[in-house]
Amino acid sequence: MSGTLQIERTVAGVKQQVGEWKRAGYRVGFVPTMGYLHEGHQSLIARAVEENDKVVVSVFVNPIQFGPKEDLESYPRDLDADCALCERTGASLVFCPEVAEMYGEGFSTYVDMDLVTAELCGKSRPTHFRGVCTVVNKLFHIVMPDRAYFGEKDAQQLAVIRHMVRDLNMDVAVVGCPIVRETDGLAKSSRNTYLSDRERQAALALSRAIKAGREMIEDGETDGDLVLEKMRGIIEAEPLAKIDYVEMVRWDTIEIHHRVDCPVLVAIAVFIGKTRLIDNFIRE
Ligand code: AMP
């Protein structure tokens, strides 16, 4: 289904439109993104379109979730292509604010979290989840969605958002969606565009390691350390790859865990050249 897409750059514009929809009794689905949309994002939007009357997609490269040495400036952007994808997937509204619209002068309120952010990306990127929680909190207040859609590609982020919604009594149903991959296995990511041809080949070490780890557990291995050892070996065999982390954690609390005796997340972050890529699998 496709229709006329509304594009809003202001908080007031979104609030007004969503307010009208709510008064009309429509259910609103929401997909927060940083843009440069691909089929991973599209799967979230399509699911939201299926399950709601109206769907809002935000396209906002959130500066406060980037560390000082990270890729904020070079992060890929293509708003026209993003809007075209949103329209043909059936979204109703794209919210694409300027940074000043979201963080006006004197902005000084942040949402932070302890437990779920201590490991994995929270350890490697110490201010990242504070930025994510703050912007998602703001976006939830602006968009007032009934349901919000997040990819398991960023599994820790999904866990963090679920905790925030529960801890702060927010009336939003958080829906997790499976990872969409290229045909050769690489998890789709806006950052894949940074990779040279040689690096693109090397990046397959991530999905190879994920597949091997998943298969070991499916075959009955319950010793997490053996699974991680196997996965590290696969990545270390690729000369262009440098491991940031390869870890197993409890899926609910994101605490390091060594046995497959409860739902676990096995997550990896690997530098391919200068590009940091992540991948994971969840064993419920
Ligand atoms: P981003 O634009 O990278 O912030 O991602 C926006 C949303 O899309 C997040 O919830 C991501 O987890 C999700 N997403 C990104 N890539 C994928 C993918 N390959 N498969 C599924 N979801 C994805």
Side-chain angles (χ1 to χ4, degrees):
M1 191 188 83
S2 71
T4 316
L5 181 75
Q6 187 174 339
I7 297 170
E8 288 290 346
R9 293 182 179 276
T10 66
V11 170
V14 178
K15 282 193 168 182
Q16 200 207 326
Q17 179 58 82
V18 174
E20 270 177 38
W21 288 338
K22 295 249 151 186
R23 283 190 293 281
Y26 291 140
R27 287 161 309 167
V28 176
F30 177 44
V31 182
T33 83
M34 298 207 299
Y36 214 70
L37 303 182
H38 51 66
E39 286 158 41
H41 301 109
Q42 192 172 22
S43 70
L44 272 54
I45 300 168
R47 170 112 183 245
V49 167
E50 244 174 65
E51 297 179 351
N52 301 274
D53 301 305
K54 299 286 179 185
V55 169
V56 177
V57 178
S58 62
V59 173
F60 180 61
V61 182
N62 175 36
I64 69 167
Q65 72 186 65
F66 287 77
K69 294 194 183 115
E70 293 181 358
D71 58 342
L72 173 62
E73 293 309 322
S74 58
Y75 197 84
R77 292 162 165 91
D78 188 345
L79 187 59
D80 289 344
D82 291 346
C83 289
L85 183 146
C86 288
E87 176 147 33
R88 69 174 183 271
T89 313
S92 301
L93 189 152
V94 167
F95 177 43
C96 46
E98 297 290 338
V99 171
E101 178 72 6
M102 292 294 279
Y103 302 111
E105 214 174 303
F107 182 90
S108 59
T109 307
Y110 296 87
V111 179
D112 213 342
M113 190 177 295
D114 303 325
L115 180 69
V116 198
T117 60
E119 303 294 341
L120 310 181
C121 290
K123 201 175 217 172
S124 310
R125 307 177 72 189
T127 58
H128 175 65
F129 286 116
R130 170 174 125 129
V132 170
C133 286
T134 301
V135 81
V136 171
N137 208 299
K138 282 170 67 69
L139 290 166
F140 281 1
H141 281 110
I142 296 164
V143 177
M144 298 173 281
D146 297 283
R147 298 189 188 86
Y149 297 79
F150 292 86
E152 287 174 358
K153 163 80 188 339
D154 301 271
Q156 187 177 18
Q157 170 174 277
L158 172 59
V160 162
I161 299 299
R162 285 199 169 124
H163 273 256
M164 179 179 80
V165 162
R166 195 199 60 189
D167 288 353
L168 301 183
N169 311 96
M170 302 170 96
D171 278 329
V172 183
V174 174
V175 182
C177 303
I179 300 178
V180 176
R181 298 178 179 279
E182 305 285 355
T183 42
D184 63 6
L186 180 67
K188 287 191 185 258
S189 163
S190 308
R191 289 191 166 100
N192 291 349
T193 177
Y194 296 145
L195 301 171
S196 69
D197 290 350
R198 175 73 190 87
E199 289 172 340
R200 173 69 182 69
Q201 274 308 110
L204 292 176
L206 279 90
S207 49
R208 271 205 306 276
I210 289 295
K211 184 160 178 281
R214 188 205 302 272
E215 283 172 3
M216 267 177 93
I217 292 180
E218 273 166 11
D219 289 347
E221 182 58 68
T222 56
D223 184 334
D225 293 333
L226 288 181
V227 174
L228 299 182
E229 198 179 297
K230 169 88 178 171
M231 293 173 64
R232 285 194 188 104
I234 292 173
I235 300 165
E236 281 162 359
E238 170 49 61
L240 294 188
K242 191 171 153 284
I243 291 176
D244 177 5
Y245 64 73
V246 175
E247 299 282 12
M248 188 167 94
V249 296
R250 288 176 56 117
W251 175 218
D252 53 354
T253 57
I254 316 290
E255 290 168 300
I256 297 292
H257 197 69
H258 297 278
R259 284 238 152 251
V260 187
D261 56 3
C262 64
V264 291
L265 163 69
V266 177
I268 66 181
V270 177
F271 284 94
I272 302 291
K274 287 196 168 74
T275 305
R276 184 176 175 280
L277 300 176
I278 56 173
D279 202 343
N280 70 76
F281 66 94
I282 297 160
R283 164 78 180 202
E284 298 270 5

